[in-house]
Amino acid sequence: MSTAKVDLHRLSRVANWAIPGLAVASLVAGMTVSFWFHFLTVFFLLLTVMNLFYRFVQTRHTILRNFGAIGQLRYVMESLGPELRQYFFSNDTEERPFSRVERAEVYRKAKGIDAAVAFGSQLEFGPKEIKLRHSMYPTPHDELEPFRLTFGEERGIASAYTIDKPIMISAMSFGALSEPAVRSLSRGAKHAGIAMNTGEGGWPKHHLEEGADLIFQMGTAKFGVRDEGGLLDDAKLRKLAALPQMKMIEIKFSQGAKPGKGGLLPKEKITAEIAELRGVPMGEDVVSPPSHPECYDNASTLEFIQRVQEVSGLPTGIKFCVGSLDQTAEFLREMAHSKIFPDYIAIDGGEGGTGAAPKPYLDSFGMPLMPALRGVHTILTDLEIRDRTKLIAAGKLIGAAKWTMALAMGADAIYSARGFMLALGCIQALHCGDNTCPVGITSHDRTLKHGLVISDKAQRVQQYVHGSVHDFEEILCSTGVKSARELCMDNLYVPPQSILAGENRA
Ligand SMILES: Cc1cc2nc3c(=O)[nH]c(=O)nc-3n(C[C@H](O)[C@H](O)[C@H](O)COP(=O)(O)O)c2cc1C
């Protein structure tokens, strides 16, 4: 028995004659039956012209040359593919980078909804999955020590900065993010009592106006603190560091989504204000160099870190994604030797996010967070300098369980970027780089930003932090520790096939 099958080639050949035929038929009907048929005449004439154009004029698309207007359907379906998959076909655990299950957890927290879920976990319990270990004797909540971490205490500086929650908002520049997104995050961070990293977007005007404690990020282009030649301008850094809201400085060497590449802000997203705050022209992609011109080897890099510490007077950290642990070990050895220590090291996993990056860098560069974090922690410990700096972990750490795992692997604090985007209502449309973000978080289009109401979103940020910190404390109690400082690999179940196998007792 033969089955029905759509032969697109035959269909397109029929369409080649049917479309002009229908134009002629509606023209005749318009003249003899009713004037209204002329609307159809216009429609089919336009379709005829389009079909001829696709088949005989344009040369770029083979499908359109061979199939004409029918071939266009393929492009329509392809462009609708992500939405169709997201809404109809993908199951709750298979979307990337964050599954619906993971996103829903953030949405519930941000909306202040009870996050209890019924029936059973939808996640893998496979042989590679790292899980938390509970204790037979959980810690009573009132015996749990409050979280407290002070950056800069190792150098004994007066400006040392203390946080009382393990989470901070990771670098996302104004430019990658829209103004209402930045303002919502800053206001939400202020109300939640956490710090926010400015990202490498230059003078943090909107961050400052909403009042959060800030970590100023100096990227390789040094937006906001650069001299005419693109090098660090000490006077500009001093002025910025003197602002009361400015709590720390971060020198960015690389990020997980595009290590070794530097930054990219597509020209579509450069408004007059962004150009002014960064000190760049409009109408051109803004590309940051892959490295700081001042830093060409380990010694010069450490000298530069020391210079920023001295000029700013603030705790100064560095951020990078690990490429080779051997190369990182060389750098850390030089650190031990020179006794110049950044006040923190933020490790960004290769799975980290970005506003825009070339695909090979997104997909194929950068050590994943877990082995990178564990590796750096172990090297620092072996060199007996683990107590000279702090470690911050970043890379898909969007909930308290993941925070706890990262702390157990050696981190002292957590950075999240996309967790906070989700709290703002990001629907993972994956349009961060082309100015068409449908919820206005990464778009500067007035009509798209319109949907992002700062007062409402700031509250969501606050509630996300509040709910996640609540979970974190509960989790600590269940593991049986009395403070986050006690967490170690023994608080994790690391199965034999996991990437960290052998790092703890079975
Ligand atoms: C929209 C967006 C913009 C970002 N901009 C920066 C930036 O300016 N500087 C930087 O060091 N990292 C930037 N990042 C990377 C994040 O700070 C973070 O390191 C990375 O996304 C991992 O955290 P996550 O998995 O919680 O998103 C950006 C990430 C996103 C999603």
Side-chain angles (χ1 to χ4, degrees):
M1 199 177 73
S2 68
T3 49
K5 183 170 164 250
V6 181
D7 182 340
L8 282 182
H9 194 199
R10 181 173 295 172
L11 192 66
S12 75
R13 275 180 290 162
V14 172
N16 288 341
W17 294 107
I19 296 170
L22 284 167
V24 172
S26 30
L27 180 69
V28 172
M31 292 192 298
T32 55
V33 183
S34 161
F35 169 81
W36 295 105
F37 276 100
H38 284 315
F39 285 101
L40 283 177
T41 312
V42 172
F43 172 74
F44 285 119
L45 276 177
L46 287 175
L47 208 56
T48 305
V49 172
M50 192 174 95
N51 199 36
L52 290 171
F53 174 80
Y54 284 160
R55 291 179 58 82
F56 300 109
V57 181
Q58 69 84 29
T59 52
R60 290 184 58 203
H61 302 286
T62 315
I63 294 277
L64 295 182
R65 275 183 85 77
N66 289 348
F67 294 86
I70 296 289
Q72 181 68 44
L73 285 178
R74 177 191 180 275
Y75 294 100
V76 173
M77 297 311 280
E78 191 180 43
S79 70
L80 288 176
E83 282 79 9
L84 291 175
R85 282 192 290 279
Q86 185 173 50
Y87 292 119
F88 298 111
F89 304 119
S90 296
N91 75 33
D92 287 351
T93 57
E94 72 185 11
E95 279 172 64
R96 296 280 184 275
F98 297 100
S99 70
R100 203 189 310 249
V101 169
E102 291 170 311
R103 285 183 286 129
E105 174 72 0
V106 179
Y107 298 148
R108 279 196 295 266
K109 286 266 176 321
K111 289 178 185 166
I113 298 172
D114 176 13
V117 180
F119 203 64
S121 174
Q122 297 187 50
L123 301 185
E124 282 280 318
F125 277 72
K128 293 183 182 167
E129 289 296 304
I130 295 177
K131 301 285 179 195
L132 290 162
R133 284 187 205 275
H134 65 282
S135 166
M136 285 173 71
Y137 307 104
T139 307
H141 200 279
D142 57 1
E143 288 180 22
L144 196 65
E145 279 178 33
F147 185 90
R148 200 181 150 80
L149 188 74
T150 304
F151 293 94
E153 63 183 356
E154 297 85 354
R155 290 195 292 132
I157 50 176
S159 59
Y161 178 59
T162 299
I163 57 173
D164 61 7
K165 297 178 187 63
I167 183 76
M168 294 180 281
I169 302 181
S170 193
M172 288 181 282
S173 60
F174 169 54
L177 296 186
S178 65
E179 180 190 332
V182 169
R183 286 187 177 274
S184 306
L185 288 174
S186 177
R187 195 183 297 182
K190 182 184 176 192
H191 292 155
I194 63 167
M196 173 180 187
N197 189 308
T198 61
E200 53 186 315
W203 186 263
K205 175 179 164 209
H206 303 297
H207 307 72
L208 284 165
E209 284 176 8
E210 296 295 339
D213 281 0
L214 297 179
I215 303 163
F216 176 78
Q217 187 182 64
M218 184 197 299
T220 52
K222 303 200 178 57
F223 297 126
V225 289
R226 64 195 256 137
D227 67 13
E228 277 169 14
L231 299 175
L232 175 62
D233 183 325
D234 286 358
K236 286 187 184 161
L237 177 62
R238 210 170 279 120
K239 182 174 161 207
L240 195 121
L243 298 169
Q245 267 169 266
M246 209 51 74
K247 302 299 178 190
M248 299 204 275
I249 307 291
E250 179 171 286
I251 308 170
K252 172 187 169 181
F253 290 107
S254 60
Q255 78 181 83
K258 43 186 169 183
K261 185 73 184 106
L264 169 72
L265 187 65
K267 60 178 181 296
E268 294 77 17
K269 295 187 66 176
I270 302 179
T271 62
E273 187 182 36
I274 291 169
E276 189 200 327
L277 294 176
R278 293 190 182 214
V280 294
M282 287 183 69
E284 290 171 24
D285 289 349
V286 175
V287 183
S288 308
S291 60
H292 290 269
E294 295 91 339
C295 307
Y296 42 86
D297 59 12
N298 290 338
S300 58
T301 301
L302 288 164
E303 263 170 42
F304 186 65
I305 294 169
Q306 190 172 43
R307 173 175 159 201
V308 175
Q309 284 176 330
E310 283 167 5
V311 172
S312 69
L314 293 178
T316 299
I318 60 174
K319 170 174 179 173
F320 62 82
C321 169
V322 173
S324 137
L325 270 178
D326 285 344
Q327 199 182 25
T328 308
E330 278 297 311
F331 175 63
L332 298 178
R333 263 195 289 280
E334 180 78 23
M335 205 183 264
H337 176 71
S338 67
K339 300 204 176 358
I340 300 171
F341 299 98
D343 297 292
Y344 68 81
I345 301 174
I347 306 287
D348 200 20
E351 63 272 51
T354 176
K359 189 133 170 54
Y361 286 82
L362 272 183
D363 292 342
S364 309
F365 268 105
M367 188 177 275
L369 174 65
M370 277 196 271
L373 172 63
R374 193 66 202 145
V376 172
H377 172 79
T378 307
I379 296 166
L380 290 172
T381 308
D382 291 348
L383 291 170
E384 298 180 358
I385 55 170
R386 181 63 189 86
D387 58 350
R388 301 301 301 267
T389 189
K390 303 283 191 293
L391 274 184
I392 303 177
K396 298 182 77 174
L397 304 174
I398 64 169
K402 293 277 187 222
W403 303 355
T404 314
M405 288 182 190
L407 295 183
M409 287 174 203
D412 297 297
I414 306 297
Y415 260 154
S416 173
R418 286 169 295 175
F420 284 96
M421 288 174 77
L422 292 170
L424 290 180
C426 165
I427 59 167
Q428 199 168 274
L430 311 182
H431 283 289
C432 311
D434 60 11
N435 209 28
T436 60
C437 169
V439 289
I441 294 175
T442 61
S443 171
H444 305 293
D445 183 301
R446 195 173 41 82
T447 55
L448 292 171
K449 287 191 299 187
H450 170 77
L452 212 66
V453 179
I454 297 170
S455 53
D456 182 69
K457 300 304 177 195
Q459 191 186 13
R460 293 207 180 178
V461 170
Q462 183 187 3
Q463 288 177 165
Y464 171 53
V465 174
H466 179 81
S468 303
V469 170
H470 169 80
D471 281 4
F472 176 65
E473 290 174 355
E474 301 263 288
I475 290 172
L476 288 185
C477 291
S478 299
T479 61
V481 299
K482 288 213 161 50
S483 89
R485 276 194 315 276
E486 284 176 35
L487 287 169
C488 65
M489 286 301 285
D490 289 341
N491 296 110
L492 302 180
Y493 166 66
V494 182
Q497 289 179 38
S498 148
I499 196 161
L500 295 185
E503 289 268 357
N504 68 348
R505 292 195 293 270

